Amino acid sequence: MTVIMGILNTTPDSFSDGGRYLDADAAVAHAAALRAAGAGIIDVGGESTRPGAERVAPEVERERVLPVIEALAARGVVVSIDTMNAATAAAGVAAGARIVNDVSGGLADPDMFAAVAATDADIVIGHWRGHSADMYAAARYDDLVAEVVTELQDRVGAAATAGIAPSRIVLDPGVGFGKRGDQNWTVLRDLDRIVGLGKRVLVGTSRKGFLRDALGDEPGLHRRDAATAVTSVLAADAGAWGVRVHDVAATRDALAVRRLWRDGGA
């Protein structure tokens, strides 16, 4: 069964819900709604990674996320911390997070893998070629999917060297990170090559710009959520372990229909 990771941004500047959940109580309430809608994991982030976003001081990031993680973990929620900072990752796990979701795959902070290795948390290693302020500068590939696969393999090797067991690693192809427009569709079309690396794979397409561009006419979030649900089903068909989304209910329903279609209504 495909795991749904619900997105919880405790930031003022995330591209679709910035500022809505800066207050810890509002964030915890939203997490409860995501969980009730079908999220198996709540991914808590305190720094926006939207294109053009500026970095946030790790101290500010921790002030935003740690009270929320503590509150959710106390309620038995499976929490992931979305961070590129090793110190924040370690503090998040100490607060109760079970997964570290690093979109940079350990490249933004060279201490990340060692910090995670010292815990029992799993880690999501994203494919990444630079920070949000200039993430498209390196969106140049001779063989896109082959390079993504190779670069992810390199990061897996670095994680193993740091002491992270292979069973603790999840791979993320980095849709929208260092990839422009149709490059994202190319990665998704060949997702089975990343699944073929033998790790769990997490796919995050939710509300991203390449979906907006595909739909045209600056579609509202409800249309992008519908498109996200479709990509979630296709990712599941390609063997993805999990999908990371804002609208959990739409993706839950789409995956339920996929299961019924596949199993003949059983």
Side-chain angles (χ1 to χ4, degrees):
M1 180 176 292
T2 307
V3 174
I4 301 175
M5 179 182 281
I7 298 169
L8 179 56
N9 293 315
T10 62
T11 59
D13 57 345
S14 292
F15 70 92
S16 69
D17 56 3
R20 294 182 64 184
Y21 309 115
L22 265 174
D23 176 77
D25 289 339
V28 170
H30 185 57
L34 293 173
R35 193 182 186 198
I41 302 168
I42 303 297
D43 192 40
V44 182
E47 178 179 10
S48 175
T49 53
R50 64 176 174 80
E54 297 296 328
R55 296 303 312 277
V56 171
E59 297 80 6
V60 173
E61 181 187 30
R62 290 193 288 274
E63 287 174 3
R64 292 173 178 174
V65 301
L66 294 183
V68 177
I69 293 171
E70 289 173 354
L72 294 178
R75 290 163 171 78
V77 178
V78 178
V79 179
S80 168
I81 179 167
D82 179 2
T83 183
M84 294 182 284
N85 292 300
T88 300
V93 174
R98 301 187 205 176
I99 303 169
V100 174
N101 181 12
D102 182 359
V103 298
S104 81
L107 290 171
D109 187 335
D111 294 328
M112 177 61 84
F113 288 160
V116 174
T119 74
D120 60 358
D122 288 352
I123 183 168
V124 179
I125 294 176
H127 178 264
W128 187 82
R129 283 191 169 185
H131 287 288
S132 297
D134 60 353
M135 69 163 65
Y136 297 129
R140 299 182 299 273
Y141 302 87
D142 293 321
D143 187 333
L144 172 60
V145 179
E147 290 175 50
V148 170
V149 167
T150 296
E151 289 167 29
L152 284 173
Q153 288 176 312
D154 288 345
R155 302 316 299 156
V156 168
T161 298
I164 299 175
S167 61
R168 295 168 59 190
I169 294 173
V170 180
L171 298 180
D172 182 341
V175 173
F177 291 94
K179 301 167 191 69
R180 296 182 182 274
D182 286 350
Q183 291 175 329
N184 295 294
W185 293 114
T186 298
V187 169
L188 291 172
R189 181 196 64 203
D190 290 345
L191 187 63
D192 60 324
R193 292 175 61 183
I194 296 168
V195 172
L197 294 175
K199 307 294 183 192
R200 290 169 290 167
V201 173
L202 176 70
V203 175
T205 63
S206 190
R207 297 180 178 175
K208 290 186 176 178
F210 81 108
L211 294 178
R212 176 201 62 215
D213 295 343
L215 298 174
D217 298 325
E218 194 62 32
L221 293 182
H222 68 287
R223 287 184 62 200
R224 278 194 257 176
D225 285 334
T228 298
V230 174
T231 62
S232 296
V233 167
L234 295 172
D237 282 343
W241 162 80
V243 290
R244 181 180 181 273
V245 302
H246 296 86
D247 186 340
V248 170
T251 288
R252 175 203 64 203
D253 291 347
L255 289 171
V257 170
R258 168 188 177 263
R259 180 184 60 79
L260 292 168
W261 182 295
R262 182 193 61 200
D263 298 343

